[in-house]
Amino acid sequence: MGKLSDGPASSVPQSAATFFSPNNNNKQQQLNGSGGGLSSKTTTSKNLNKFPFGASAAALLCDYLEKILVWMFADSEDPGAGPHAAGKPAGDPHYFLTGSFGPVASETDPASGLTVSGSIPECLNGEFVQVAPNPRFSPVSKYHWYDGFQSLFTLLHGLNIKDGKATYVARFVKTSKLQQEEYYGAAKFVKAGDIYGKKGIAFVLLHNLRIMLGVLDSSNGLGTANTALVYHNNKLLALHEGDKPYIIKVLEDGDLETIGREDYGTLADRFTAHPKIDPVTGEMFGFYWKQMELPYLTYQMFSKEGVLLEPVPITIPECVFIHDFAITENYAIFLDLSLMMNTKFLTEGKNVFTFDPSKEARLGLLPRYAKNESQIRWFTIPPCMIFHTVNAWEEGDEVVLIACRMPTYDFALYAAFNEDKYEDSRPQLYEFKMNLKTSEATQRLLSTLTIEFPRINDNYIGRKQRYAYGSIFDKKMTIVGVAKFDLALEPELNTRDLKIGGNIIGLFVHGDGRRGSEPLFIPRVVDKEIPEDDGYLICFVYDENKGKSETVIIDAKTMASEPVAVVTLPTRVPVGFHSIFVSQEQLNKQRYNSPK
């Protein structure tokens, strides 16, 4: 069994919960792990005890204060919920709790013998897993879609494939945070949807009061493990950038079991949501960022054997939201952009995360094996926000980065969705070039489509690749299809029509009323001697007309309109975040102990 770390109080950078939080090393309120109908197979912390009477009394007091706050701020201005300055219509505050975004109520035990149309390729023997935000309990106040990866919980949706047969399972990741709310049977933690203006200050203070009084425990982390997944050194890890990763075991029948937090022996109390594994060396690279504490950014490197090397602190002038980064064969690329995090925004009636177009946006280039930050070089680009990179590589005197760029960003949009506001900030595929001789950077639009959740053949991470696959979003922020890009071709930028042309060489459209998820590329053979695009895309698709979900497998080379195979699932799979495929060969090598 992996080591269950009991480190110092963890920060939750997305929810701003611990901006003013005291450390809490009181272990008396660890939980018994029961309740909520979660799998009995899930492993929880050691020496679990119920909350003492004092904590229970304090919990009632805090609940009473919370009701007062909800009443006080019931009619307060909610950024995004009402008409904004341009006079555009109000947003829908329930959008991300309904339709394809709506959560599911419970887990699903392994369901085998699923109906398969077509034939599942042999290279897909293994487990396909997607993380999805899923509120376990009804929100006390406002709900923000980012509560999913910032404040709430993970429902892992897994599809185990063996010799053309499929088994589906859904399990919550048994985080410390989930166990605590399961104990109370209600939502207790502050959420991203509450962190704006004076209301945000009040709810953060209430959250900290719950910690100080022993109602909540932050000593085992406050992460949700529900943003992405990575498989490294024979371990499957569920990731969240505000906590250590959680080790997930895939059982013989495809079931998913939470083992505990991985601390790599000396890992800080946070990790990255998007580590990069070099396909040649097997090393893993990542970073983490802090708020209200210097240094704001720290670079991490892990050996092929999973040993954490000496972290490298990186100086940036202000705290910014950094969700992703990139590597090449010789560099790591960091994103110091324009979405800032500062508690002063709360006093101004804004969200703690606010886009500031006056803040200089920069790309930082650091030698991959640097021992300190002295060699980092910064390249200025126009103000923007980038949530996800596609890939990066070196080309002569330039370093090339492909990423999904947003010209602006409105955090409130994801609390009360508004089509017009989404149009203003929709992500598009861009190419950035950093010239090592001139120290200048350029950017170029690669597509007029709204593209996010990009994927490539991971055998090309850090190396020049030709093909990229991107989720196509419509004006309602739902995924309607997948676009295949040939980056060697010139883009066609005079139309937003969904058609092949320019650098778009393939399209797979899910169909009317069908909403997709991130398309994961799986090579037909793990061998760079075969064509780069010789493989398959796999994703979950929700059919709103039927109220059912499917797993759809697409030919990534031809992008034929007919799927290679479709697996009908026994339950709905909500819109999720990121996914991974772990081959049967990798599953046979799973391990759970921390490296020595």
Side-chain angles (χ1 to χ4, degrees):
M1 180 181 294
K3 180 179 179 181
L4 302 180
S5 58
D6 294 317
S10 171
S11 294
V12 187
Q14 293 86 355
S15 69
T18 54
F19 294 164
F20 320 109
S21 289
N23 288 336
N24 181 1
N25 294 314
N26 184 2
K27 300 299 194 300
Q28 65 179 352
Q29 53 272 38
Q30 292 177 334
L31 306 174
N32 62 7
S34 64
L38 297 187
S39 171
S40 60
K41 298 179 181 179
T42 304
T43 304
T44 58
S45 301
K46 301 176 182 178
N47 303 319
L48 304 178
N49 300 301
K50 290 189 176 181
F51 285 84
F53 172 78
S56 299
L60 293 175
L61 171 63
C62 291
D63 288 349
Y64 180 72
L65 293 175
E66 184 174 62
K67 291 179 180 179
I68 293 176
L69 291 179
V70 171
W71 174 78
M72 286 177 59
F73 292 102
D75 297 323
S76 64
E77 183 179 354
D78 183 351
H84 56 84
K88 295 178 180 178
D92 180 0
H94 306 295
Y95 186 75
F96 295 104
L97 286 173
T98 59
S100 58
F101 292 97
V104 294
S106 61
E107 297 181 312
T108 300
D109 291 334
S112 58
L114 302 180
T115 301
V116 178
S117 301
S119 179
I120 301 177
E122 184 178 350
C123 65
L124 268 67
N125 279 342
E127 186 107 359
F128 170 58
V129 188
Q130 177 183 278
V131 292
N134 203 94
R136 188 70 181 91
F137 300 101
S138 299
V140 173
S141 183
K142 304 294 183 181
Y143 178 74
H144 192 289
W145 192 43
Y146 285 7
D147 286 336
F149 77 80
Q150 294 171 341
S151 311
L152 298 179
F153 309 116
T154 306
L155 196 57
L156 295 175
H157 299 272
L159 189 76
N160 185 265
I161 300 172
K162 291 181 181 178
D163 301 324
K165 299 179 180 180
T167 298
Y168 169 80
V169 64
R171 294 292 186 203
F172 281 102
V173 177
K174 195 80 168 184
T175 62
S176 171
K177 204 169 188 177
L178 174 63
Q179 293 179 61
Q180 294 182 62
E181 291 202 349
E182 282 286 341
Y183 176 84
Y184 287 111
K188 295 294 178 184
F189 290 89
V190 68
K191 305 184 307 303
D194 295 325
I195 311 300
Y196 68 89
K198 294 178 181 179
K199 174 184 176 180
I201 297 173
F203 273 84
V204 166
L205 291 175
L206 174 62
H207 174 87
N208 295 333
L209 179 63
R210 280 178 164 143
I211 291 178
M212 288 189 292
L213 294 178
V215 177
L216 297 178
D217 178 21
S218 62
S219 64
N220 284 313
L222 293 176
T224 53
N226 69 352
T227 308
L229 299 135
V230 69
Y231 185 87
H232 185 248
N233 188 35
N234 300 322
K235 294 180 185 178
L236 176 60
L237 304 174
L239 310 176
H240 174 265
E241 57 210 74
D243 200 355
K244 300 175 183 180
Y246 276 78
I247 302 172
I248 305 298
K249 179 181 179 181
V250 181
L251 305 183
E252 181 64 26
D253 61 355
D255 208 349
L256 299 164
E257 176 184 345
T258 302
I259 299 299
R261 292 200 301 168
E262 169 65 281
D263 68 359
Y264 290 99
T266 59
L267 187 67
D269 58 2
R270 53 184 63 82
F271 195 64
T272 177
H274 290 290
K276 309 300 178 187
I277 297 177
D278 188 302
V280 176
T281 68
E283 299 163 306
M284 182 168 68
F285 302 85
F287 69 96
Y288 64 85
W289 61 279
K290 300 179 182 178
Q291 69 291 327
M292 313 305 289
E293 181 182 349
L294 295 173
Y296 294 132
L297 177 62
T298 300
Y299 176 44
Q300 295 173 313
M301 296 170 280
F302 300 81
S303 71
K304 180 180 180 180
E305 295 74 28
V307 176
L308 174 62
L309 306 180
E310 187 66 27
V312 178
I314 297 174
T315 301
I316 56 177
E318 298 175 274
C319 182
V320 295
F321 191 112
I322 308 175
H323 185 64
D324 200 356
F325 84 131
I327 62 169
T328 69
E329 289 187 72
N330 296 294
Y331 295 99
I333 303 171
F334 300 97
L335 313 177
D336 178 17
L337 305 177
S338 306
L339 181 57
M340 300 176 62
M341 194 239 75
N342 198 314
T343 54
K344 74 174 184 180
F345 295 140
L346 298 179
T347 64
E348 299 170 358
K350 303 175 182 177
N351 194 283
V352 72
F353 296 102
T354 295
F355 187 89
D356 184 355
S358 68
K359 195 276 180 191
E360 181 182 61
R362 308 183 301 170
L363 302 176
L365 207 60
L366 180 71
R368 213 167 79 167
Y369 299 104
K371 300 297 184 183
N372 56 60
E373 66 171 333
S374 62
Q375 297 181 66
I376 196 167
R377 298 178 63 179
W378 293 102
F379 297 80
T380 301
I381 59 174
C384 67
M385 179 56 192
I386 294 172
F387 272 92
H388 299 113
T389 64
V390 179
N391 196 22
W393 63 84
E394 299 157 40
E395 199 170 77
D397 295 326
E398 294 181 317
V399 175
V400 180
L401 170 68
I402 309 296
C404 298
R405 176 187 184 273
M406 305 169 76
T408 184
Y409 183 79
D410 187 347
F411 197 83
L413 173 66
Y414 302 90
F417 183 74
N418 179 292
E419 289 184 16
D420 293 325
K421 294 172 72 175
Y422 181 60
E423 172 67 23
D424 295 340
S425 61
R426 64 189 185 92
Q428 295 176 296
L429 198 65
Y430 268 76
E431 173 192 77
F432 300 88
K433 288 188 175 182
M434 291 159 276
N435 192 296
L436 300 176
K437 284 190 173 181
T438 66
S439 296
E440 294 181 349
T442 59
Q443 67 179 35
R444 181 170 70 116
L445 178 64
L446 296 180
S447 174
T448 56
L449 296 179
T450 303
I451 298 292
E452 248 294 355
F453 290 164
R455 298 302 300 234
I456 64 167
N457 181 336
D458 285 349
N459 290 322
Y460 288 80
I461 289 177
R463 277 78 181 169
K464 185 174 182 178
Q465 109 280 351
R466 182 170 180 175
Y467 303 106
Y469 302 87
S471 299
I472 306 168
F473 283 77
D474 64 6
K475 62 182 181 180
K476 294 184 178 296
M477 215 185 86
T478 57
I479 298 174
V480 296
V482 183
K484 179 181 181 180
F485 294 92
D486 184 339
L487 301 179
L489 301 179
E490 287 298 312
E492 184 177 305
L493 304 178
N494 59 358
T495 178
R496 286 178 59 175
D497 293 341
L498 200 58
K499 66 178 184 179
I500 293 174
N503 58 2
I504 300 175
I505 62 170
L507 288 172
F508 184 91
V509 181
H510 294 309
D512 292 340
R514 293 171 58 84
R515 307 302 179 213
S517 60
E518 177 185 65
L520 180 67
F521 181 92
I522 302 171
R524 184 176 58 82
V525 180
V526 184
D527 185 349
K528 288 193 69 172
E529 297 303 317
I530 68 171
E532 176 190 334
D533 59 348
D534 191 355
Y536 303 92
L537 299 173
I538 183 170
C539 64
F540 289 119
V541 176
Y542 172 58
D543 191 325
E544 295 178 341
N545 305 305
K546 300 178 180 179
K548 295 182 178 180
S549 289
E550 302 168 338
T551 303
V552 176
I553 300 170
I554 305 164
D555 188 322
K557 191 173 182 65
T558 66
M559 296 295 287
S561 59
E562 286 297 317
V564 174
V566 175
V567 181
T568 302
L569 303 179
T571 185
R572 182 173 65 85
V573 177
V575 172
F577 291 141
H578 301 289
S579 55
I580 193 171
F581 175 76
V582 186
S583 70
Q584 189 59 52
E585 181 181 359
Q586 291 173 317
L587 292 178
N588 293 338
K589 299 177 181 178
Q590 289 179 95
R591 53 185 292 268
Y592 317 111
N593 62 300
S594 297
K596 302 297 183 182

